[in-house]
């Protein structure tokens, strides 16, 4: 882990797990919803935007759950790498 990545993760871990998890998952879900709407709404234009969102609701819920799980695993991996590097640098 280089110095820049080490410093960035040190700053992010100060936010805490739940705050980082919320922000990361929310960012991914908003990105997914926006681009899903932009690229797929044209096939639902005659039914309206509400019908489109209702048809995509299960996809949004599943994506949110998967991103929550994936970001949790990512946190554990990064935290493990950070602790290993901190021990190597004699910080912990």
């Amino acid at each position: 882990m280089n110095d820049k990545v080490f410093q960035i993760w040190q700053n992010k871990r100060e936010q805490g797990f739940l705050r980082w998890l919320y922000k990361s998952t929310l960012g991914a879900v908003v990105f997914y919803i926006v681009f899903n709407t932009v690229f797929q709404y044209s096939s639902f234009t005659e039914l309206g935007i509400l019908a489109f969102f209702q048809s995509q609701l299960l996809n949004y819920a599943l994506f949110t759950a998967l991103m929550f799980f994936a970001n949790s695993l990512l946190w554990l991996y990064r935290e493990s790498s950070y602790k290993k590097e901190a021990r190597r640098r004699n910080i912990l």
Side-chain angles (χ1 to χ4, degrees):
M1 183 179 274
N2 64 34
D3 287 337
K4 184 177 180 181
V5 173
F6 187 79
Q7 284 298 106
I8 289 171
W9 187 249
Q10 190 171 23
N11 292 338
K12 288 188 180 199
R13 73 190 298 258
E14 289 174 3
Q15 295 176 9
F17 171 69
L18 292 178
R19 184 172 177 185
W20 180 85
L21 182 63
Y22 172 76
K23 285 171 56 176
S24 298
T25 303
L26 181 65
V29 169
V30 167
F31 181 82
Y32 177 72
I33 289 172
V34 166
F35 281 93
N36 184 324
T37 303
V38 167
F39 291 115
Q40 293 186 10
Y41 177 65
S42 62
S43 62
F44 281 85
T45 53
E46 65 277 353
L47 299 176
I49 191 79
L50 186 58
F52 172 74
F53 283 126
Q54 287 175 340
S55 71
Q56 296 295 313
L57 191 59
L58 183 60
N59 291 341
Y60 296 153
L62 182 61
F63 184 80
T64 301
L66 289 174
M67 286 310 299
F68 185 83
F69 180 71
N71 283 332
S72 297
L73 291 177
L74 182 61
W75 172 277
L76 293 175
Y77 171 74
R78 287 182 176 172
E79 188 65 15
S80 163
S81 297
Y82 172 83
K83 286 182 180 179
K84 189 184 305 182
E85 183 68 19
R87 279 192 295 274
R88 189 182 72 76
R89 295 179 185 201
N90 292 325
I91 295 173
L92 288 180

